[in-house]
């Protein structure tokens, strides 16, 4: 058994609550590779703690002395470093199309979920992170967290709409990547895990194929994602 | 050399103008497989001509006496029937993720382009198709073609926004499917070919990676897609 990969993992006020959609990708990918993980709780304002990575965001991993930041680069690092373990991509075309799924997630799904849940995320954070979070997110979205909260119904409708390509895909196949989960599934499920951990909004129960897939992803890898409590 | 695959292909008033985003997928896929094609110009109201297919829409192919309708089913048929020719999917994960790219195209890209160009498409059609087209499209979008035309600037902005995941992907790789085009590229390029043939709107020139990829797709397969005239 290799020694654990250290993962700097975004934490809430309660340090056991982990919700980052980018860190969850790494958790899924490590589990897929069968690599043990040791997570280090990290808050947004603890830039010094990951200064060794040359940048200021998580996920950051340290594996046998090697440091890698950025979820996509971490996935590529794991695939290249552990080629004999279950593949995250299943070949060049699978790799390229997983990139498209990740870009869809980053450019559409994550911002759409963000508009819906950022007010709740703010309230979950450690107090020392809240000003930083509020300032950076309000600048990014060009409106206040209160404005976002006031538009909740519209953001929920936008999220249901944004999920259509995913839901339609899952009406034809068990996983985004086919008969078994791979990195494309990790990326999308990590975004829905963020939603699940931070807010009580339900966006899958009227879409059985999507709901069934997410339940399988929560139960995958010995129920790793399900072990994290959902928001009440 | 096998005998040509017959493709019932949507045609404009000028029967040499072919613009359907679903038929262009099939043209690309047949070219990728190196299969010769004989296209049969078809108009929306010529339901009887494809009655043998058991439904009323193109694309429909007839290959050595076998009839297949629906672009996705045609792609799967070609892959299964001609496994020794260049693959459309490159394995199970590639197949599954091409489905996601197709669902994104069908659920996001095609309707977003439609809102922008349906008025122009209407004006290109054979007069016998125009009432059918206007009635069915106005019912689908819940507004008149004139309303769509009046919202052109907003539809153009929505299309630029919708293209982001694709443009971001192509900043990292030459094709959606990686180092060479495959069916995921065919599906997306066919939608942009529809835009190119039917309307003068430019949505790629300020996104060099996207523009470069589309130019490569127009030039692929001996310039097949480029040989169709762009709208003036």
């Amino acid at each position: 058994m290799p020694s654990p990969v250290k993962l700097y993992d975004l934490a809430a006020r309660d340090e056991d609550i982990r919700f980052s959609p980018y860190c969850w990708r790494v958790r899924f990918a490590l589990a897929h590779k069968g690599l043990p993980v040791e997570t280090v709780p990290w808050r947004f304002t603890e830039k010094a703690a990951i200064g060794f990575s040359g940048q200021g965001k998580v996920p950051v991993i340290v594996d046998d002395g090697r440091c890698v930041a950025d979820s996509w680069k971490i996935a590529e690092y794991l695939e290249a470093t552990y080629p004999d373990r279950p593949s995250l991509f299943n070949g060049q075309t699978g790799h390229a199309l997983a990139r498209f799924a990740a870009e869809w997630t980053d450019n559409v799904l994550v911002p759409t979920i963000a508009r819906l849940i950022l007010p709740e995320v703010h309230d979950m954070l450690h107090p020392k992170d809240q000003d930083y979070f509020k300032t950076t997110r309000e600048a990014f979205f060009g409106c206040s967290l209160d404005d976002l909260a006031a538009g909740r119904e519209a953001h929920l409708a936008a999220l249901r709409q944004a999920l259509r390509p995913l839901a339609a895909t899952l009406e034809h196949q068990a996983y985004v990547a086919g008969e078994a989960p791979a990195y494309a599934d990790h990326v999308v499920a990590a975004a829905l895990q963020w939603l699940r951990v931070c807010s009580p909004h339900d966006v899958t129960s009227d879409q059985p194929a999507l709901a069934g897939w997410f339940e399988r992803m929560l139960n995958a890898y010995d129920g790793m994602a399900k072990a994290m409590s959902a928001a009440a």
Side-chain angles (χ1 to χ4, degrees), chain A residues 21-199:
Chain A
Y22 298 100
C23 292
W24 272 105
R25 296 180 192 185
V26 178
R27 291 289 303 277
F28 276 121
L30 290 168
H32 189 87
K33 287 285 185 191
L35 296 167
V37 62
E38 174 196 335
T39 69
V40 181
W42 179 88
R43 271 67 177 245
F44 282 111
T45 48
E46 295 172 352
K47 302 296 186 193
I50 56 170
F52 66 88
S53 72
Q55 51 86 63
K57 294 179 181 175
V58 294
V60 169
I61 65 166
V62 180
D63 178 32
D64 196 20
R66 291 161 296 196
C67 159
V68 189
D70 179 276
S71 56
W72 181 262
K73 286 182 181 156
I74 291 169
E76 291 191 323
Y77 164 82
L78 294 174
E79 187 77 348
T81 307
Y82 301 99
D84 297 336
R85 290 169 173 261
S87 177
L88 295 169
F89 299 120
N90 300 315
Q92 279 195 15
T93 301
H95 187 157
L97 290 172
R99 169 74 86 164
F100 175 69
E103 294 291 357
W104 174 77
T105 305
D106 292 353
N107 285 278
V108 179
L109 190 55
V110 166
T112 307
I113 294 174
R115 288 188 188 87
L116 179 65
I117 70 171
L118 286 196
E120 283 104 328
V121 174
H122 174 269
D123 294 346
M124 290 172 62
L125 295 179
H126 193 283
K128 73 180 180 180
D129 275 1
Q130 290 183 333
D131 282 351
Y132 167 85
F133 184 83
K134 183 173 158 65
T135 303
T136 54
R137 272 51 181 176
E138 291 186 343
F140 183 84
F141 286 99
C143 66
S144 72
L145 295 183
D146 288 344
D147 291 339
L148 287 178
R152 189 163 285 158
E153 287 308 310
H155 301 319
L156 196 52
L159 178 54
R160 291 174 185 279
Q161 175 78 17
L163 286 166
R164 281 193 188 179
L166 180 66
T169 299
L170 295 165
E171 283 167 16
H172 298 285
Q173 55 205 41
Y175 294 94
V176 182
E179 296 173 7
Y183 192 64
D185 294 89
H186 303 160
V187 168
V188 183
L192 293 182
Q193 171 78 330
W194 176 42
L195 174 70
R196 171 182 172 270
V197 173
C198 296
S199 95

